[in-house]
């Protein structure tokens, strides 16, 4: 996929296997939201996946995904059974927003997880997830106080 300045590529970040129980998948960067990406992971879970998206040497987006067999039961459930690729965090860097990299990044993730629906809990990005054609699911008892859940069709 091409965009400003070149092809968008996906890179999976793998944990350090040196025996440390602390894993920090992403480097610090000024153009990503403070506090989202600087946490260390304690006791890395094999269901967790971390990816960076690059155009040349420039990181343009990040995502944290966890493969889950079931979803939060407090939400209306999608028709498709699990497993699901649940996007816990997704962000396009400030300098690269509104240039199509978010959509292209999600398409690369969808290609990687073809057999399962993708799921995202929207943090103020309802227009973005809705623009992808994903189905919106509300929290059953507190829809006004919970993030909506968006679910893709499996490819």
């Amino acid at each position: 996929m091409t965009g400003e300045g070149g092809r968008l590529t996906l890179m999976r970040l793998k944990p350090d296997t040196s025996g440390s129980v602390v894993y920090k998948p992403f480097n610090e960067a000024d153009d990503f939201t403070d506090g989202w990406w600087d946490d260390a992971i304690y006791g890395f879970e094999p269901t967790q996946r971390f990816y960076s998206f690059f155009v040349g040497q420039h990181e343009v987006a990040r995502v944290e995904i966890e493969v889950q067999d079931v979803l939060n039961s407090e939400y209306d459930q999608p028709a498709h059974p699990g497993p699901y690729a649940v996007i816990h965090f997704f962000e396009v860097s400030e300098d690269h927003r509104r240039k199509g990299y978010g959509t292209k990044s999600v398409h690369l993730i969808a290609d990687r997880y073809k057999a399962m629906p993708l799921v995202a809990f929207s943090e103020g990005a309802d227009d973005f997830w809705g623009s992808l054609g994903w189905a919106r699911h509300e929290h059953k008892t507190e829809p006004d106080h919970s993030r909506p859940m968006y679910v893709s069709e499996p490819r």
Side-chain angles (χ1 to χ4, degrees):
M1 298 193 149
T2 59
E4 280 186 2
R7 186 171 188 263
L8 183 68
T9 59
L10 167 70
M11 182 173 73
R12 181 171 175 197
L13 308 176
K14 300 205 177 193
D16 179 1
T17 57
S18 66
S20 173
V21 296
V22 177
Y23 174 56
K24 191 171 181 180
F26 297 100
N27 294 325
E28 292 183 29
D30 292 336
D31 50 351
F32 288 95
T33 302
D34 288 336
W36 277 21
W37 306 105
D38 54 359
D39 289 342
I41 308 297
Y42 297 92
F44 177 77
E45 295 292 327
T47 58
Q48 291 174 298
R49 306 283 191 279
F50 302 92
Y51 298 94
S52 285
F53 302 86
F54 291 88
V55 173
Q57 298 296 314
H58 301 285
E59 184 182 26
V60 299
R62 297 174 169 182
V63 67
E64 177 185 340
I65 295 175
E66 183 176 11
V67 176
Q68 296 177 203
D69 288 327
V70 294
L71 296 174
N72 185 331
S73 63
E74 295 180 3
Y75 282 82
D76 293 328
Q77 296 296 298
H80 305 287
Y84 304 94
V86 178
I87 298 170
H88 287 290
F89 290 103
F90 174 73
E91 184 177 20
V92 175
S93 68
E94 288 181 25
D95 292 343
H96 296 93
R97 291 181 186 162
R98 305 238 179 254
K99 297 178 181 175
Y101 290 115
T103 299
K104 291 174 186 176
S105 297
V106 170
H107 288 164
L108 286 175
I109 289 294
D111 289 344
R112 171 92 25 134
Y113 293 90
K114 287 181 183 173
M116 61 184 82
L118 300 180
V119 176
F121 291 89
S122 180
E123 186 89 23
D126 296 5
D127 290 343
F128 172 72
W129 298 112
S131 75
L132 298 173
W134 293 17
R136 181 180 172 129
H137 299 265
E138 299 292 344
H139 191 279
K140 291 178 184 176
T141 59
E142 298 182 15
D144 294 334
H145 302 290
S146 300
R147 298 180 297 163
M149 179 176 75
Y150 286 86
V151 182
S152 74
E153 292 288 328
R155 288 184 159 203

